[in-house]
Structures are given as structure tokens and as C-alpha cells.
Amino acid sequence: MAGKTDVQCRLPIRRGLGEVEAAMYLSLSTTFFRRLVDEGVMPRPRLAGRRRIWDVEELDAAFKTLPREEGGDPDDVEQSNTWADYE
């Protein structure tokens, strides 16, 4: 029978992540991730018994609300059509 580590290595992404995994998923240090959770910037974990688990979809949604560099709107995705230059 395959162990937990063997199975986890084969899964491309899991729905729920522990604190260290959630921080790594967002390319943040665990300390900075914890601070963002405390400040309400990142979501609070869900509980499965005593285990704290972060939902990947909630992390994605919170990530998309982070401000862009130089004050750009977080929802402002560049709308330019680069193919228009070739018409």
C-alpha cells in the first residue's frame, strides 16, 4: 500500500494546504504569510479536527485582490491586443 508521501508526490495540486504549503504556493515566507492571515489579507484556515487547512481557491481569490506594482488596479488585466499591430 502506498504511503501518504508517495501519494502526495503524485498529486499535481491538492485542494487543501497546510500553512507551510500555502505560504510556498504563494511564494511567501511562512512568517509573512502568517502576518497576512492575521491582517485579513489572506483567508483564515478551515478546520478539520485540529488541523488547519487553507483552500487553494480561496488563496487564489485573495491573491488576485493584492495590489499591482505602481498602483495599478488589481483587477486590471492588460487588455491590449498585440495582434492589432499586424493588421
Side-chain angles (χ1 to χ4, degrees), residues 65-77:
T65 66
L66 293 173
R68 292 193 181 269
E69 187 175 41
E70 297 184 26
D73 182 2
D75 294 326
D76 180 29
V77 177

Side-chain angles (χ1 to χ4, degrees), residues 14-28:
R14 294 183 308 282
R15 175 69 187 264
L17 303 174
E19 182 178 58
V20 172
E21 295 169 313
M24 287 175 51
Y25 178 71
L26 297 171
S27 300
L28 303 172

Side-chain angles (χ1 to χ4, degrees), residues 25-59:
Y25 178 71
L26 297 171
S27 300
L28 303 172
S29 72
T30 306
T31 304
F32 187 56
F33 176 72
R34 235 180 253 138
R35 184 167 17 138
L36 292 177
V37 171
D38 290 343
E39 293 172 358
V41 175
M42 287 293 139
R44 304 225 24 102
R46 295 180 178 271
L47 298 175
R50 298 176 77 195
R51 184 156 158 72
R52 299 168 53 201
I53 304 170
W54 277 263
D55 184 323
V56 171
E57 291 179 2
E58 292 174 358
L59 291 171

